[in-house]
C-alpha cells in the first residue's frame, strides 16, 4: 500500500519534522478509511485529543500505538509502508538538541524550538526587541534578566547559551532556512542592556543582513498604524509541501500555536502587509548606521 502522499523517501529534518510527517500520514490513512478520531483513540486506549496531538506531531509516539493504528487503518503486517512509518517513528523519538536545555524551557516553548529547528522558512515580526535568532550574547543576557529577574547568574548564562545554540542549530544547519524578519523601529532604539550593548547588537544586525539566508526589513515610526499592532508573531513553513504552516504567538506565560487555514491565511496576509509597509531589505544597513551615529 502506497502512502496517500505518494512519497517513499524519509524527510530530511529533526525529530519534530519527522513527527509531523508521520502524524500527517496517519491522519490521511484514518480519513481514507472513514474512521473518526474518537474511534482511533479508543483503539489505542486513549482519547480523541491524543489522536489530534499525534496527527499534528505535537507529542512523541509510542511504537505500539502507531502499530495498532496502522492495523486499524488497513496497513498490513507485510506492507513495506508499515515498516517505513514505524522506522520514522523510531527516528522521531530520538531527542532533539534542545533536550539538554529541557530544565530551562517551559513545556509550551519546547515544541516551538522543535518546530523552528525543522522549518525551511521562518518569517517573524518583532515589535519590542531584536528577534532571538539575531541577538548577541550580551543583548540576550539583558533580555533574560528583564524577563526573569529572579534567575541566578548560572541560570541566566544557561539561558543565554540556549539562545546561542538555537542560532547555531537553526541558522547554520545544512540546508539553512530562510529567516525573514520585520523589526519595528522601536526595537532599534530601546537600549536593552544599555547603549553599548545596543550598539553592539545593531552592528551585529548589519552583519547578519549580509547573510544570503537572512532578510531584514525595518518598520519605521512614520508608518503609523500597521498590520502588526496586536503584537509580535512568527510564521513557520516546512520543507514537506503537504504540511501546514504554523503560526506562533508567544505570551508571558504560554505560547499559542495556530495551524487552521483561516488563522494561517490571516497572519500571512498581515505579514505581507508589514513587508510592504517596511523599508526594503537593501535599506536596512543604512538605516541602522544612521541610528549608530545618533548613539555616538
Amino acid at each position: 500500500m502506497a502512502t496517500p502522499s505518494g512519497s517513499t523517501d524519509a524527510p530530511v529534518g529533526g525529530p519534530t519534522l519527522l513527527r509531523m510527517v508521520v502524524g500527517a500520514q496517519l491522519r490521511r490513512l484514518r480519513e481514507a478509511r472513514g474512521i473518526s478520531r474518537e474511534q482511533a483513540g479508543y483503539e489505542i486506549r486513549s482519547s480523541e485529543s491524543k489522536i489530534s496531538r499525534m496527527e499534528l506531531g505535537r507529542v512523541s509516539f509510542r511504537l505500539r500505538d502507531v502499530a495498532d493504528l496502522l492495523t486499524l487503518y488497513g496497513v498490513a503486517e507485510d506492507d513495506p509502508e508499515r515498516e517505513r512509518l514505524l522506522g520514522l517513528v523510531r527516528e522521531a523519538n530520538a531527542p532533539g538538541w534542545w533536550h539538554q536545555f529541557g530544565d530551562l524551557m517551559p513545556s509550551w516553548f519546547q515544541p516551538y524550538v522543535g518546530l523552528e529547528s525543522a522549518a525551511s522558512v521562518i518569517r517573524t515580526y518583532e515589535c519590542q526587541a531584536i528577534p532571538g535568532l539575531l541577538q548577541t550574547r550580551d543583548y540576550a543576557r539583558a533580555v533574560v534578566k528583564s524577563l526573569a529577574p529572579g534567575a541566578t547568574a548560572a541560570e541566566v548564562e544557561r539561558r543565554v547559551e540556549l539562545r546561542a545554540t538555537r542560532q547555531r542549530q537553526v541558522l547554520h544547519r545544512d540546508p539553512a532556512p530562510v529567516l525573514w524578519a520585520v523589526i519595528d523601529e522601536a526595537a532599534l532604539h530601546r537600549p536593552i542592556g544599555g547603549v553599548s550593548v545596543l550598539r553592539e547588537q545593531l552592528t551585529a544586525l548589519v552583519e547578519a543582513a549580509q547573510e544570503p539566508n537572512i532578510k531584514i526589513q525595518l518598520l519605521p515610526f512614520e508608518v503609523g498604524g500597521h498590520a502588526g499592532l496586536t503584537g509580535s508573531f512568527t510564521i513557520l513553513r516546512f520543507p514537506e509541501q503537504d504540511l501546514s504552516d504554523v503560526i506562533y504567538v508567544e505570551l508571558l506565560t504560554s505560547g499559542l500555536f495556530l495551524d487552521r487555514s483561516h488563522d494561517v491565511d490571516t497572519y500571512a496576509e498581515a505579514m505581507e502587509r508589514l513587508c510592504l509597509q517596511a523599508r526594503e531589505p537593501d535599506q536596512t544597513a543604512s538605516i541602522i548606521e544612521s541610528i549608530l551615529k545618533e548613539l555616538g
Side-chain angles (χ1 to χ4, degrees):
M1 176 178 178
T3 66
S5 64
S7 172
T8 58
D9 297 325
V12 177
T16 299
L17 180 59
L18 291 172
R19 285 199 301 269
M20 293 171 71
V21 169
V22 172
Q25 295 193 19
L26 288 175
R27 174 179 55 78
R28 285 190 288 270
L29 288 167
R30 176 182 60 76
E31 291 177 346
R33 300 282 291 190
I35 296 171
S36 69
R37 288 194 181 97
E38 184 178 6
Q39 290 172 300
Y42 179 81
E43 183 67 19
I44 62 170
R45 303 153 297 280
S46 190
S47 63
E48 177 182 357
S49 62
K50 171 68 175 295
I51 296 297
S52 178
R53 292 194 299 275
M54 289 177 66
E55 292 180 351
L56 290 172
R58 301 284 167 77
V59 293
S60 59
F61 299 120
R62 292 178 57 196
L63 201 62
R64 175 184 171 183
D65 287 345
V66 175
D68 288 347
L69 289 174
L70 291 175
T71 298
L72 178 66
Y73 300 159
V75 184
E77 294 277 355
D78 59 351
D79 192 324
E81 177 60 15
R82 182 185 183 95
E83 184 51 39
R84 191 186 80 86
L85 283 174
L86 292 177
L88 289 180
V89 170
R90 294 184 187 97
E91 293 181 49
N93 284 337
W97 64 262
W98 56 90
H99 282 263
Q100 63 182 303
F101 298 101
D103 59 312
L104 290 179
M105 293 186 286
S107 59
W108 49 265
F109 189 62
Q110 291 190 42
Y112 173 74
V113 175
L115 292 171
E116 181 184 71
S117 295
S120 57
V121 179
I122 304 168
R123 300 184 70 182
T124 185
Y125 166 65
E126 181 57 66
C127 59
Q128 298 294 345
I130 305 304
L133 288 175
L134 297 173
Q135 291 178 6
T136 64
R137 281 181 174 267
D138 285 342
Y139 188 94
R141 186 175 293 108
V143 170
V144 170
K145 288 180 178 179
S146 297
L147 295 176
T152 65
E155 290 171 341
V156 169
E157 291 310 307
R158 285 198 67 215
R159 291 177 188 273
V160 171
E161 186 58 38
L162 166 59
R163 196 153 301 194
T165 304
R166 272 177 62 201
Q167 294 174 10
R168 292 194 302 272
Q169 293 289 342
V170 175
L171 296 180
H172 302 293
R173 69 172 187 259
D174 186 20
V178 172
L179 173 61
W180 189 344
V182 178
I183 306 174
D184 195 286
E185 185 177 352
L188 304 180
H189 290 275
R190 182 168 291 109
I192 295 176
V195 173
S196 62
V197 170
L198 178 60
R199 186 185 297 110
E200 179 190 36
Q201 175 63 76
L202 294 180
T203 301
L205 266 189
V206 173
E207 295 172 356
Q210 309 307 311
E211 295 293 330
N213 63 317
I214 298 176
K215 182 181 294 188
I216 300 173
Q217 290 185 263
L218 305 178
L219 188 69
F221 288 132
E222 62 200 62
V223 166
H226 57 78
L229 289 177
T230 55
S232 305
F233 63 93
T234 298
I235 304 175
L236 301 169
R237 178 162 295 171
F238 306 96
E240 294 288 312
Q241 294 184 358
D242 53 352
L243 294 180
S244 169
D245 291 357
V246 174
I247 311 301
Y248 176 69
V249 181
E250 188 166 317
L251 308 175
L252 188 60
T253 58
S254 65
L256 185 63
F257 296 89
L258 306 169
D259 58 7
R260 293 181 180 178
S261 58
H262 172 73
D263 294 325
V264 171
D265 291 346
T266 299
Y267 274 91
E269 181 183 345
M271 182 64 80
E272 291 299 329
R273 298 207 310 271
L274 283 167
C275 290
L276 289 173
Q277 292 172 300
R279 294 290 180 256
E280 293 294 328
D282 59 8
Q283 297 179 312
T284 294
S286 61
I287 294 172
I288 292 178
E289 285 167 1
S290 296
I291 296 174
L292 284 170
K293 289 180 180 178
E294 294 175 8
L295 292 175

